[in-house]
Amino acid sequence: MRAPSTRAMIAELGVPLAWARGQVAWRGLARALPGDGRPVLVLPGFLADDGTTATLRRTLAAAGYVPHGWALGRNRGVSQALLDAMLARLAAVTRDRPAAVVGWSLGGLYAREIGKRRPDLVERVVTLGSPFSGDIRANNAWRMYERIAGHAVDRLPIAAALAEKPPVPTFALWSARDGIVAPAASRGRTGEADVAIEVACRHVGFTSDPAALRAVLEVLRRAV
């Protein structure tokens, strides 16, 4: 398992076009794939914040879900304090019914761990290009992660078996065009996710590209 090529990583710079397409498409997608009012907790990727998931949350709200950002600022890596804060956030948004937890990239690793720790509050987990399987260094972000987070990617400061499937329905959205995370790492091996779905988008487009928005809405509508 290898990280995506330099050429694929450079292609990630085309995200403004994907974002622009999403601004045109989100209303139509929401009307075509209506939801059922359940809460959806959306977790951002490494060095991202709630602003980067705004298009996805806007689409979810228009479809009839009740989306929530994580409200924890910029995601600077894994820590026990941040995991505890996310568990508290989950409890706050699930007073009436369990939530779907959608995590982009590093946010998806958190989503899976949340599903393991509080399956009573999680209706399903959806990961978007998240490197939960295989070599944790099969991506083009691990060196930057170690510099900023202050720990090695294979020595996370929480007890976590990343590839272990949460005891709730788990959907892994992955892309063969991903220029940051190896597609195999976000697709997973047999038994590491209940369903793996290929999406035609770049890594940075998972929260705004129309193909990704549609895929998330479709996954949320699946019976479990």
Side-chain angles (χ1 to χ4, degrees), residues 25-36:
W26 67 270
R27 289 186 181 86
L29 291 170
R31 286 194 297 268
L33 297 162
D36 61 1

Side-chain angles (χ1 to χ4, degrees), residues 14 29 46 49 54-55 68 87 144 175 198 205:
L29 291 170
F46 181 55
D49 57 17
T55 300
H68 302 271
L87 290 169
M144 181 183 294
S175 174
E198 183 176 2

